[in-house]
Amino acid sequence: MPEAPKNSLKPTDYNFGEQSKKTLQFIEDATSNPDEVQKKVLEEILSRNAHVEYLQRHGLNGHTDCETFKKLLPVITYEDIQPDINRIANGDTSPILCSKPISEFLTSSGTSGGERKLMPTIEEELGRRSLLYSLLMPVLNQFIPGLEKGKGMYFLFIKSEAKTPGGLLARPVLTSFYKSSHFKNRLFDPYTNYTSPDESILCPDSYQSMYSQMLCGLCQRNEVLRVGAVFASGFIRAIRFLEKHWQLLCNDIRTGIINPQITDPSVREAVMKILKPDLKLADFIEAECNLESWQGIITRLWPNTKYVDVIVTGTMSQYIPTLDYYSNGLPLVCTMYASSECYFGVNLNPLCKPSEVSYTLIPTMAYFEFLPVHRNNGVANFISMPKSLNEKEQQELVDLVDVKLGQEYELVVTTYAGLYRYRVGDVLRVAGFKNKAPQFNFICRKNVVLSIDSDKTDEVELQNAVKNAVNHLVPFDATLAEYTSYADTTTIPGHYVLFWELSLNGSTPIPPSIFEDCCLTVEESLNSVYRQGRGSDKSIGPLEIKIVEPGTFDKLMDYAISLGASINQYKTPRCVKYAPLVELLNSRIMSNYFSPKCPKWIPGHKQWGNKNCN
Ligand code: AMP
């Protein structure tokens, strides 16, 4: 198996040229014989875990070959292993899924029953995640040389964590990574040289964290060669923060003293090492921020920036126009594709257009399989797809090296941490090959209709939330005739919009407060990732209900039919994205209402007693 490059050098003798060469060679090796690597990965996972309960239960009996594995192990979703996960969460430390101790749970933004899915992980997975990160800059350096001469201004955050009843930590994968020694004690590397002090990144208070990261980014503006965040939505939120707080930030730069609102002593100390009184800089930033137009604000304030490093694939593509506006069309670079289950791959052509981004799955990360996705009239048939696969469908899964160019697949992984033939829920399309390893466009997350940040709301959740909300209309003898939804990203942060057409039978007018109650009930009914985004993270704005004129949904149908939809098969889409449809709906609004407050959210799962560890 190709040996992962090790970064074992001290600051003084770090030779990024040498390190990069090793890294690129690793990618060459791993992609040149992916079949062999994948077989070894599976063998390793199965032999280590031969005695775990899950594999015994399925009768694997110590076999480590592909054929027996595929014959005996079912392709599963989260719900299939939830009882096992619950046992681990409740403190059962016997080897249920994995022979190594489960070190913590990673809380996915994918939900089950309204709560974040819990992904088991083991200590050594941190090494695999670090490996994937270490591939990114050597790849980029091939296209944009000289990045080691400056810094990256990245807005990185931790989120709150909880403890399971059995005492394991449950937190998002990035929180786990930033808090690990792999991040905190990283060896000197010009590629992980950030403007944000670790203390700011690790500050649990999101305001203090953002404020101090922005302040340090401004102070080091001339050193910044690249800017970014994990997802596009996070980076736009940082710009919005600057729009709101630049006066305070300029004041700090003018005086050389950090605002007393920043109370975390470790953050204050770290920032004070960077912040020096600088009248000229404060005046400059003030003049730029005072201009009416914020077009190109990134390139104006950070003039040496070469690219914006953010994920703009999948639902994040909705933010491309906003990013182009603020960055004056700087390249938008999507570097990697990863999840709580497993880190998957990297983009080997980082300067390509966002619409052409493809990710090369790194064959050492996990054992990958692919379930072909069949489309009906160009629409992936997800909703009607049965949750568990029958035998024939199970046989359709193909290996990494057997995927076909242009075909779409659902990703299925077997990980070192104890997921076996697990459906991640992402749909990928084969876009090409690097050596013998396929490269994939990210197409979509199955079933998701609405997403602003990391929230993923599916049609069933939306339907249920709307059903709960319309109860408020009953006393007014009003019913919901039709509805659809839209993710409005023209506001910062973006927000969910519901278009409602009502049938009014009663004579009492419905007061605005009732519609506001409806907004809040929808929000209260949505999953915990949405509610956390609304309240704790403030990454999603208040939900809006727009009441449209009677007959609007007939017009929507007429329009869809004029575009070629079959009249017999037409169903109201529960989410609209196509701009003319959104315009049609927006042109027929009679009134609109916003959720008056944030829905309730508590860290951890509802049933755990909700202990926040921060
Ligand atoms: P989580 O488990 O919360 O870390 O979320 C992982 C999910 O985020 C993946 O399964 C994808 O649906 C999505 N995701 C991660 N990376 C990318 C990417 N580069 N482009 C599009 N979607 C992504």
Side-chain angles (χ1 to χ4, degrees), residues 40-51:
K40 286 206 172 126
V41 166
L42 183 64
E43 211 177 277
E44 200 179 347
I45 294 174
L46 297 182
S47 56
R48 277 180 184 197
N49 295 317
H51 301 293

Side-chain angles (χ1 to χ4, degrees), residues 59-117:
L60 201 60
N61 227 350
H63 287 282
T64 60
D65 61 292
C66 227
E67 294 68 35
T68 317
F69 172 71
K70 287 187 181 189
K71 209 164 97 199
L72 295 179
L73 269 285
V75 179
I76 57 159
T77 60
Y78 184 76
E79 287 68 27
D80 294 312
I81 47 164
Q82 203 161 17
D84 293 316
I85 300 274
N86 288 344
R87 275 172 62 197
I88 301 169
N90 288 329
D92 189 336
T93 54
S94 62
I96 298 172
L97 295 173
C98 184
S99 60
K100 303 226 162 145
I102 301 300
S103 51
E104 59 183 309
F105 280 114
L106 303 176
T107 55
S108 167
S109 56
T111 54
S112 171
E115 296 290 332
R116 284 174 179 271
K117 291 177 186 168

Side-chain angles (χ1 to χ4, degrees), residues 359-425:
Y359 300 101
T360 305
L361 300 199
I362 300 298
T364 55
M365 300 303 288
Y367 176 65
F368 300 114
E369 291 177 87
F370 299 85
L371 176 64
V373 169
H374 304 294
R375 286 184 179 249
N376 277 346
N377 300 328
V379 179
N381 193 14
F382 295 135
I383 301 287
S384 59
M385 191 157 73
K387 276 233 154 186
S388 50
L389 302 181
N390 61 34
E391 210 166 301
K392 185 171 162 280
E393 285 163 325
Q394 299 236 15
Q395 282 163 7
E396 284 185 21
L397 266 78
V398 295
D399 279 336
L400 184 64
V401 287
D402 295 326
V403 296
K404 299 273 174 294
L405 190 68
Q407 168 72 46
E408 288 180 8
Y409 299 92
E410 193 190 326
L411 179 61
V412 175
V413 289
T414 296
T415 68
Y416 284 89
L419 299 176
Y420 304 93
R421 311 196 86 190
Y422 178 89
R423 295 168 74 175
V424 174

Side-chain angles (χ1 to χ4, degrees), residues 106-110 116 119 172-174 230-231 311-316 334-345 357 359 411 424-427 442-446 454 456:
L106 303 176
T107 55
S108 167
S109 56
R116 284 174 179 271
M119 295 302 161
V173 61
L174 290 173
V230 178
F231 288 111
I311 290 176
V312 285
T313 41
T315 54
M316 288 292 149
C334 296
T335 56
M336 65 188 276
Y337 168 44
S339 77
S340 313
E341 290 87 340
C342 172
Y343 277 25
F344 303 122
V357 170
Y359 300 101
L411 179 61
V424 174
D426 290 343
V427 177
F442 181 92
I443 300 301
C444 64
R445 176 102 179 169
K446 256 180 354 183
S454 55
K456 298 166 171 63

